[in-house]
Amino acid sequence: MGNILKPYYPHDNKKIHCQSVIVDSRFYGVYFNSDNKAGYCVEIDRQVMVDTDRGKRLYLLVTGDIEFGEHDDGLIDVNDALFYSGLVGMFVLKPNGNDWEVESASPNMNAGAQGMGLRDWKLMRFAPNTWGFVNEDGYEYLGYTETRLVILTPNGQNIIKSTISNSNYSAYTDLCNDAIKQVCDDIKAKLQPIDTSKVVDGFYPLRFTVNGRKDNKVYKNSSYRFYYKKGKGYQIPASYPIGSES
């Protein structure tokens, strides 16, 4: 993990031999009588060097799975882990002599389901001199499925997480029996290639095309633009039809 990331993930779980961090489980919306904290084993998922007008930058993406509870480093019950999010951390490093130092960092964000972090993050360019990591998250509950695009971009010393829902599917819910099948949702949004000719608040706008049915309305190649707001990340247009949050 190296000396740079060690302060962010300082726990050495000797029982399961992993570098880890212990976080308050309430951060993830979970409360247990036995464990108020959750331990995540972490690893680097991606590290990519880019050239900017301020010199080289090393983009690092760390992902983590829940492996143990608060007490005695014991392994957490797998059924409990189902209710936790996974962990993701992003870092941007800049040169410091022959070494690196942290320029931007948010080590303990939530992404992923069932206590498992997302893997295989992709690096994309979101501004003339700013890149970010992208992945797809999602969940299924009582027959309802939703996926969302997670975008992590540096913002000063921190990282901003933008979340854009990109599909709803409710065909397996009670709402979709034969009598009321018309209310079923089956809608998807696709991120189009980024247009680098325009910059708003320092970032390129994003364009999504939407197809499918939502709330009894049909969408066919409907286009929506998402603009970046400084300090807030990408904002959701009021007319965007897929349930979303930022």
Side-chain angles (χ1 to χ4, degrees):
M1 190 60 65
N3 295 330
I4 292 178
L5 299 186
K6 184 68 181 281
Y8 299 95
Y9 307 108
H11 190 71
D12 183 11
N13 189 307
K14 295 181 172 56
K15 182 173 290 186
I16 53 180
H17 307 292
C18 78
Q19 198 66 37
S20 55
V21 62
I22 299 175
V23 299
D24 189 335
S25 66
R26 287 172 292 181
F27 175 75
Y28 295 97
V30 180
Y31 296 82
F32 290 118
N33 292 328
S34 58
D35 285 313
N36 291 319
K37 296 183 179 179
Y40 287 80
C41 291
V42 299
E43 63 181 8
I44 294 176
D45 181 72
R46 292 294 308 279
Q47 48 184 338
V48 184
M49 187 89 69
V50 299
D51 289 312
T52 77
D53 62 2
R54 294 173 295 145
K56 292 186 180 298
R57 293 295 185 268
L58 181 61
Y59 279 70
L60 289 177
L61 193 289
V62 173
T63 188
D65 300 339
I66 186 170
E67 296 285 357
F68 57 94
E70 177 181 7
H71 304 294
D72 195 32
D73 290 350
L75 292 175
I76 197 166
D77 186 281
V78 66
N79 293 317
D80 287 345
L82 295 176
F83 299 98
Y84 283 82
S85 169
L87 180 143
V88 62
M90 179 177 159
F91 301 82
V92 180
L93 308 183
K94 63 181 179 180
N96 180 13
N98 294 324
D99 207 345
W100 297 92
E101 65 177 279
V102 174
E103 181 175 69
S104 305
S106 288
N108 301 320
M109 297 176 285
N110 58 319
Q114 300 181 351
M116 299 182 66
L118 302 175
R119 262 67 179 183
D120 299 324
W121 290 77
K122 296 180 180 179
L123 190 73
M124 293 179 59
R125 192 172 188 172
F126 289 99
N129 284 285
T130 303
W131 284 253
F133 285 107
V134 182
N135 211 334
E136 188 175 76
D137 201 355
Y139 71 93
E140 181 176 347
Y141 181 70
L142 298 178
Y144 181 86
T145 301
E146 177 179 329
T147 62
R148 44 192 180 262
L149 207 64
V150 179
I151 302 172
L152 307 178
T153 50
N155 176 63
Q157 295 181 339
N158 302 311
I159 304 297
I160 284 186
K161 175 186 173 188
S162 303
T163 306
I164 301 172
S165 293
N166 62 351
S167 79
N168 292 155
Y169 187 67
S170 64
Y172 297 122
T173 67
D174 292 339
L175 294 175
C176 291
N177 58 38
D178 291 338
I180 55 175
K181 192 170 183 179
Q182 67 273 13
V183 303
C184 292
D185 295 335
D186 186 2
I187 191 168
K188 295 181 180 179
K190 182 178 180 181
L191 175 62
Q192 299 302 307
I194 295 178
D195 180 3
T196 61
S197 65
K198 187 176 183 180
V199 176
V200 177
D201 238 348
F203 281 74
Y204 304 132
L206 304 181
R207 185 171 70 90
F208 284 79
T209 54
V210 173
N211 287 280
R213 175 194 290 269
K214 179 71 182 287
D215 296 332
N216 238 357
K217 183 176 179 180
V218 175
Y219 297 82
K220 185 174 182 180
N221 292 326
S222 300
S223 182
Y224 298 86
R225 290 191 181 276
F226 293 69
Y227 294 96
Y228 187 91
K229 185 176 182 181
K230 189 174 181 179
K232 300 290 186 180
Y234 282 101
Q235 302 300 291
I236 311 299
S239 60
Y240 187 62
I242 306 179
S244 53
E245 59 181 343
S246 179

